[in-house]
Amino acid sequence: MQGLMQDYPLTVPHIFSRAEKLFPEKTVVTALPSGRERLTYGEWADRTRRLGGVLDTLGITETGRAATFMWNSARHLECYFAIPCTGRVLHTLNLRLFPEQLVYIVNHAEDEVVFLDRSLGALIGPLLPQFETVKHIVVVDDGKGDVPDDPRVLDYEEVLAEAKPVEFRVDDENRAAAMAYTSGTTGNPKGVVYSHRSTVLHTIGTLTADVLGVSEADTILPVVPMFHANAWGLAHAGVMAGSTLVFPGADLTPKHIATLIEEEHVTLAAGVPTIWMGVLPELEGRDLSSLRAIPCGGSAVPKALSEAYRAKIGLPILQAWGMTETSPIASTGHIKTSLRAGRSEDDLADIRAMQGLIAPLVDCRIVESGTVDELPWDGEAQGELQVRGPWIAKAYYNDERSPESFTDDGWLKTGDVAVISPEGYIRLVDRTKDVIKSGGEWISSVDLENEIMGHPAVAEAAVIGIRHEKWQERPLACVVVKPGESLTKEELLSYLDGRVAKWWLPDDVQFIDEVPKTSVGKFSKKDLRDRFADYVLPT
Ligand code: ADP
């Protein structure tokens, strides 16, 4: 017997028109150098429909790729909807990619137009001559910087003023809606293509209470960029739910973020750990009681950071895990009621330091490296984390490297090493490339870093494996000491003694000025390994 429901396509225009019809009075706030712009959803929707008209006038092909090189703003949100709602494909360019990577991805995606914030003109200007397929560069005036000198340049407001609003309609839910490229540390970035269906389902996922629980009552501050990993779905979720949206624009300084939270009464603010580390000293003397959740991911959330927020504002950080390939939300760290009972705050903080429970509709497994043999969820067995689901990529766009990342039975190989507890909590141990192999056992560089960063004098720490004759590899801790503090190797090792297994204790500690970062601000272990390539551990 078959169900008798309509086969109604899941498409982005539905998200758009829901906001347009139900929440025209709600606001989208954008911080600009001149002050905060406030637009109602009604005004935003009209502008977005006219932007659809602009795409027609500019002759962007029916399934053409339209790129954005923009900060988080209402203008970017206009692009987020006008492009897919007219059947085109939104390609968010990650501002933090290296120049040669940007040129590669624009040409690989065959972008026909680039929407550009004027403040980013200097960053992209020198690359424009190499963008082979780009016919137009539409510049948004976000208050700073120079318009690039290029004959293809148009002004966003001028073309919008001349355009007619268009009807939005997409019938095929499997049509591409957006794409983004990974920022991988080696090789060219790989393209991930999101469909209308995957976008809608991911949006619904973020609305569920135990994922991010986005609701109409929320005021959302996505610090996490719309140009990388889809602002964790918050732009779509906010529009679907009719939440107030607050965009920080180009100013991501801790003071500005804290001020926006306080003055706009933000309830949900999402960003990577480095953002919340920066904001921490800014909490002093402010009223941030409006906050109900601080989703954080992209790299491991140190327990000490989450606990510092709990101590200062009574709200620990909500850890989330995901990747460009997973749309990106794949797990969140809510604590089950059965795990709350009888546990100390410190134990609860340990649970929050994990990457959490897999999202509804997504499956996860851990497997023995290089096989599809599933390992038990016993909190001990470590293996590669693999996921599948309706918003998980199944291949890269036009890329022969796809087979390296997807199994024959349809799972994404995340490149993360994890254990899963009997209760189903994912705990990332390391990247497969970064795990330290000592005497046939694995040492988690991430766990060691977390413990080291728990030391009050430590600002940042990264641990890498150094070749060792007897043990194959041994850990070297690279530590950045906080300004005004001092720390010796002996002090750090005695602090770690008892906190980690004896055989995990780093063989040496190097004090460095800064941990090198990837283009998107994650610890670049590759650069650290290069720096210490000739380093010999003390015997
Ligand atoms: P890239 O574009 O560099 O691939 P992604 O945002 O897709 O950037 O990176 C995804 C990776 O980031 C994950 O595979 C994982 O290693 C890391 N990551 C994301 N969230 C977390 C988290 N909460 N804890 C630890 N690592 C995380």
Side-chain angles (χ1 to χ4, degrees):
M1 184 172 161
Q2 298 235 309
L4 293 173
M5 289 293 141
Q6 292 177 4
D7 191 9
Y8 183 75
L10 308 176
T11 63
V12 178
H14 179 80
I15 302 180
F16 172 86
S17 61
R18 185 166 197 272
E20 184 182 45
K21 286 195 197 108
L22 300 186
F23 310 108
E25 77 291 358
K26 297 294 294 278
T27 41
V28 182
V29 181
T30 303
L32 294 166
S34 53
R36 283 179 216 154
E37 178 203 83
R38 285 170 205 283
L39 213 60
T40 64
Y41 268 33
E43 292 163 329
W44 167 80
D46 175 59
R47 291 174 58 87
T48 304
R49 286 194 186 280
R50 281 192 288 129
L51 182 58
V54 169
L55 295 167
D56 291 345
T57 323
L58 294 183
I60 307 305
T61 51
E62 261 178 32
T63 56
R65 266 72 71 192
T68 56
F69 199 70
M70 298 167 91
W71 299 107
N72 290 7
S73 68
R75 293 301 87 73
H76 207 166
L77 194 69
E78 287 158 14
C79 296
Y80 249 57
F81 283 85
I83 295 166
C85 289
T86 55
R88 280 106 181 179
V89 184
L90 165 75
H91 176 198
T92 49
L93 300 174
N94 185 340
L95 327 178
R96 308 238 159 83
L97 290 184
F98 299 117
E100 59 280 11
Q101 293 180 316
L102 275 171
V103 171
Y104 170 83
I105 68 173
V106 169
N107 291 334
H108 188 261
E110 299 172 276
D111 293 331
E112 296 179 25
V113 53
V114 179
F115 291 91
L116 167 68
D117 273 342
R118 176 156 68 90
S119 65
L120 296 165
L123 196 57
I124 205 170
L127 311 179
L128 294 177
Q130 297 173 68
F131 292 177
E132 292 159 10
T133 51
V134 171
K135 292 181 285 194
H136 311 281
I137 298 148
V138 185
V139 178
V140 169
D141 186 355
D142 66 337
K144 273 192 180 163
D146 296 321
V147 176
D149 180 16
D150 191 291
R152 295 167 289 180
V153 164
L154 298 165
D155 179 76
Y156 188 91
E157 291 304 325
E158 274 174 24
V159 289
L160 203 72
E162 288 161 15
K164 298 249 174 332
V166 294
E167 287 304 309
F168 288 154
R169 184 166 168 180
V170 172
D171 293 326
D172 178 4
E173 64 176 16
N174 290 312
R175 189 167 175 152
M179 66 191 305
Y181 283 73
T182 62
S183 61
T185 43
T186 49
N188 281 322
K190 291 174 268 191
V192 177
V193 179
Y194 310 104
S195 65
H196 281 260
R197 174 187 160 83
S198 76
T199 306
V200 170
L201 290 172
H202 180 259
T203 305
I204 304 270
T206 55
L207 297 183
T208 56
D210 290 330
V211 176
L212 297 179
V214 170
S215 84
E216 188 272 336
D218 273 317
T219 297
I220 305 175
L221 174 70
V223 186
V224 47
M226 292 165 86
F227 62 73
H228 183 207
N230 194 23
W232 298 349
L234 287 169
H236 293 98
V239 172
M240 176 83 125
S243 320
T244 302
L245 281 163
V246 180
F247 292 117
D251 185 355
L252 301 180
T253 56
K255 188 165 180 207
H256 188 230
I257 300 299
T259 305
L260 283 176
I261 296 173
E262 187 172 28
E263 294 183 357
E264 299 294 337
H265 309 291
V266 167
T267 60
L268 189 151
V272 295
T274 38
I275 291 285
W276 300 122
M277 278 178 208
V279 170
L280 189 59
E282 284 292 334
L283 302 178
E284 222 57 66
R286 291 182 189 267
D287 176 9
L288 302 186
S289 56
S290 57
L291 276 176
R292 69 157 185 87
I294 311 172
C296 182
S299 52
V301 179
K303 177 179 167 186
L305 179 67
S306 186
E307 281 297 272
Y309 273 76
R310 193 174 64 78
K312 287 220 161 130
I313 60 169
L315 183 67
I317 283 174
L318 172 64
Q319 174 137 213
W321 166 80
M323 311 169 68
T324 301
E325 290 86 338
T326 65
S327 288
I329 302 285
S331 77
T332 43
H334 291 277
I335 303 181
K336 289 189 197 181
T337 43
S338 58
L339 292 181
R340 283 180 186 277
R343 279 199 164 71
S344 67
E345 279 299 339
D346 196 55
D347 288 345
L348 295 179
D350 284 332
I351 301 176
R352 287 189 202 104
M354 298 198 266
Q355 281 63 30
L357 296 173
I358 200 76
L361 299 182
V362 182
D363 289 331
C364 67
R365 68 181 184 188
I366 42 173
V367 300
E368 190 83 58
S369 192
T371 73
V372 290
D373 302 335
E374 270 200 58
L375 293 165
W377 293 15
D378 59 5
E380 300 280 331
Q382 299 187 356
E384 183 178 45
L385 180 62
Q386 300 189 342
V387 290
R388 68 172 179 195
W391 60 78
I392 310 295
K394 64 174 182 196
Y396 292 114
Y397 176 63
N398 271 350
D399 203 311
E400 55 196 27
R401 292 168 294 178
S402 289
E404 294 162 22
S405 298
F406 301 91
T407 67
D408 291 341
D409 58 345
W411 296 69
L412 164 71
K413 300 183 195 176
T414 65
D416 286 323
V417 180
V419 300
I420 304 183
S421 76
E423 298 85 11
Y425 280 80
I426 298 168
R427 185 166 69 79
L428 289 201
V429 175
D430 228 324
R431 301 285 299 162
T432 38
K433 298 186 291 277
D434 296 337
V435 75
I436 299 162
K437 294 155 199 99
S438 174
E441 298 285 344
W442 283 357
I443 297 176
S444 156
S445 65
V446 173
D447 283 354
L448 262 179
E449 285 157 11
N450 270 334
E451 289 299 340
I452 297 170
M453 287 193 277
H455 190 289
V458 173
E460 285 183 335
V463 179
I464 53 170
I466 297 285
R467 243 173 303 117
H468 190 282
E469 257 183 36
K470 179 164 173 204
W471 298 112
Q472 185 183 3
E473 275 184 346
R474 289 293 302 157
L476 167 71
C478 304
V479 175
V480 183
V481 177
K482 282 184 187 158
E485 303 276 352
S486 71
L487 183 67
T488 63
K489 169 179 167 183
E490 289 67 32
E491 283 165 353
L492 182 64
L493 292 182
S494 78
Y495 169 84
L496 290 177
D497 200 2
R499 288 186 157 85
V500 299
K502 272 242 178 306
W503 63 276
W504 277 38
L505 284 176
D507 283 28
D508 197 9
V509 179
Q510 289 280 321
F511 292 98
I512 57 175
D513 293 339
E514 196 190 344
V515 176
K517 310 278 185 335
T518 67
S519 60
V520 295
K522 299 186 191 192
F523 287 179
S524 175
K525 301 278 180 78
K526 183 182 167 288
D527 285 329
L528 260 192
R529 279 192 288 266
D530 288 349
R531 175 165 164 190
F532 288 100
D534 299 324
Y535 167 86
V536 182
L537 287 166
T539 43

